[in-house]
Amino acid sequence: MSARLQRLERLRTELLAGVTHELKTPITSISGLLQAVKDDVVTDEEAVEFIDISLKETERMKTMVADLLAFNTFSANGVNVVMEKREMGALLQEVIHQWEVTNKESRTTLQLDIPDEKVYVQIDSARLQQIMINLLNNAQQSFGTGMEGTICVNMKQEEEQAYIEVTDSGKGIGEEEKEYIFERFFRGENKKYETHGLGLGLAFSLMIAQSLNGDLSLKSSRPGETIFVLRFPIE
């Protein structure tokens, strides 16, 4: 078996093991809740509440499956990357606007700082958007459910590179967790019981960034300030 086939088989095994473990909890929860409604263990308002919880757990499963399919497809080189010359500042404004529109109920304050000078890069706009949405969602989740927080997106140019820093005022990442945050299925203690998904967001984002000739890294993290950095070569 070739090295590529071995890698894909190892990835398939890891994905299957991870998704099996993570889907077990919502499936068990949904089954128990609906069985209670069916057997009239709960009725009226309590039954409605149980059904609402079941629907939320179903959405959680849909998120997990979507993450899994996207990651698995990209890992197997099944997604095309279409590079084009774009002005990074304008592109970031588009992404930020879209995120804000879809998060109107959020208590998050989002700030964007871009240089006056235009910076051009060769990029796949849709893939950059995937990365940025993952980073913004990740930052928002760091505040905790219903909590206020600030996310700052700062773009700068140094030599032949464009840097995008995404800074949040959340809980921070523990020292013992920092080396694992880009691992598949890893979720830190702050998010393990609060967020929906398989823990593929950062791993997926790193994979996409590298496919765009760039990189994604954790610059620093402490309570009140976590900074992720995206880097791409300037056109």
Side-chain angles (χ1 to χ4, degrees), residues 77-92:
N77 297 319
V79 177
N80 291 327
V81 173
V82 181
M83 304 291 276
E84 59 180 343
K85 185 176 180 179
R86 290 293 305 268
E87 202 284 300
M88 183 63 83
L91 186 53
L92 284 176

Side-chain angles (χ1 to χ4, degrees), residues 17-26 57 60-61 63-64 67 137-138 141-142 172-174 176-203 228:
V19 75
T20 300
H21 174 74
E22 294 293 343
L23 288 177
K24 183 177 180 180
T25 299
E57 287 294 280
R60 178 183 177 189
M61 290 177 62
T63 300
M64 289 181 179
D67 287 348
N137 288 342
N138 192 65
Q141 291 164 3
S142 72
I173 301 168
E176 68 282 359
E177 299 178 355
K178 289 180 180 178
E179 62 179 303
Y180 302 111
I181 59 171
F182 291 105
E183 295 291 329
R184 293 183 291 271
F185 303 113
F186 178 77
R187 289 183 295 168
E189 289 299 319
N190 285 342
K191 298 181 180 180
K192 187 175 294 184
Y193 305 107
E194 297 181 6
T195 62
H196 298 170
L198 290 169
L200 291 174
L202 287 175
F228 283 92

Side-chain angles (χ1 to χ4, degrees), residues 14 125 165 191 193-194 214 216:
E14 291 176 357
S125 303
E165 291 189 350
K191 298 181 180 180
Y193 305 107
E194 297 181 6
L216 171 64

Side-chain angles (χ1 to χ4, degrees), residues 142-177:
S142 72
F143 305 137
T145 305
M147 301 297 291
E148 296 182 356
T150 300
I151 304 173
C152 298
V153 178
N154 177 42
M155 191 193 83
K156 58 185 178 181
Q157 174 184 347
E158 291 184 4
E159 298 179 348
E160 300 302 316
Q161 303 288 322
Y163 293 89
I164 304 168
E165 291 189 350
V166 179
T167 305
D168 69 67
S169 61
K171 301 175 183 177
I173 301 168
E175 287 296 327
E176 68 282 359
E177 299 178 355

Side-chain angles (χ1 to χ4, degrees), residues 43-223:
T43 58
D44 302 329
E45 291 184 4
E46 195 171 12
V48 172
E49 181 183 2
F50 273 38
I51 293 174
D52 285 342
I53 295 173
S54 297
L55 290 173
K56 290 178 181 178
E57 287 294 280
T58 301
E59 287 300 314
R60 178 183 177 189
M61 290 177 62
K62 285 171 61 179
T63 300
M64 289 181 179
V65 172
D67 287 348
L68 177 69
L69 291 175
F71 187 89
N72 196 28
T73 301
F74 205 89
S75 298
N77 297 319
V79 177
N80 291 327
V81 173
V82 181
M83 304 291 276
E84 59 180 343
K85 185 176 180 179
R86 290 293 305 268
E87 202 284 300
M88 183 63 83
L91 186 53
L92 284 176
Q93 287 177 320
E94 293 175 14
V95 174
I96 295 299
H97 175 69
Q98 179 175 338
W99 190 86
E100 288 182 318
V101 168
T102 56
N103 289 270
K104 287 183 177 180
E105 304 303 317
S106 169
R107 302 176 69 184
T108 299
T109 300
L110 183 55
Q111 302 172 356
L112 174 62
D113 183 13
I114 56 177
D116 294 331
E117 181 182 356
K118 294 185 182 299
V119 178
Y120 291 92
V121 295
Q122 284 286 339
I123 200 82
D124 185 319
S125 303
R127 300 302 169 201
L128 175 65
Q129 180 179 359
Q130 282 182 281
I131 299 173
M132 288 300 301
I133 295 300
N134 276 336
L135 290 177
L136 292 173
N137 288 342
N138 192 65
Q140 185 180 51
Q141 291 164 3
S142 72
F143 305 137
T145 305
M147 301 297 291
E148 296 182 356
T150 300
I151 304 173
C152 298
V153 178
N154 177 42
M155 191 193 83
K156 58 185 178 181
Q157 174 184 347
E158 291 184 4
E159 298 179 348
E160 300 302 316
Q161 303 288 322
Y163 293 89
I164 304 168
E165 291 189 350
V166 179
T167 305
D168 69 67
S169 61
K171 301 175 183 177
I173 301 168
E175 287 296 327
E176 68 282 359
E177 299 178 355
K178 289 180 180 178
E179 62 179 303
Y180 302 111
I181 59 171
F182 291 105
E183 295 291 329
R184 293 183 291 271
F185 303 113
F186 178 77
R187 289 183 295 168
E189 289 299 319
N190 285 342
K191 298 181 180 180
K192 187 175 294 184
Y193 305 107
E194 297 181 6
T195 62
H196 298 170
L198 290 169
L200 291 174
L202 287 175
F204 192 24
S205 296
L206 173 60
M207 185 183 299
I208 298 174
Q210 291 175 342
S211 75
L212 301 178
N213 302 316
D215 198 14
L216 171 64
S217 60
L218 174 66
K219 181 177 181 179
S220 63
S221 183
R222 57 183 176 82

